[in-house]
Amino acid sequence: MAPQHCPRRARIAFSDSATKQLENITSEAEIHALDRALVVISVQPDIGEPIHGDTTGPQLRQYTDEVESVRVLYFVTTLRTVVVVAYIEV
């Protein structure tokens, strides 16, 4: 029997504005909460709710973790190998 592999995770990249937001997070609890949310998104990029808007660009999605109080706006590249984080709220 062949070993089963975990699903391939998408790579996480940050927009310039999300990078600036990330630099302002200093609490270890907030970093941990954001890390958990990013792992969930990297494993299941379609988990967030689509945000309706302009259809000419990539589909913007919103993932909210109510337990950890984290909100992430992101889009997924065409091949689903990269998740680009556009906005972070912790």
Side-chain angles (χ1 to χ4, degrees), residues 26-65:
T26 57
S27 161
E28 188 172 321
E30 290 177 338
I31 292 170
H32 178 71
L34 177 60
D35 187 51
R36 286 177 42 110
L38 294 176
V39 168
V40 169
I41 294 169
S42 72
V43 173
Q44 285 183 288
D46 293 333
I47 195 166
E49 300 172 8
I51 296 176
H52 302 290
D54 188 3
T55 58
T56 59
Q59 174 69 56
L60 195 59
R61 303 184 76 81
Q62 170 180 270
Y63 173 74
T64 305
D65 184 334

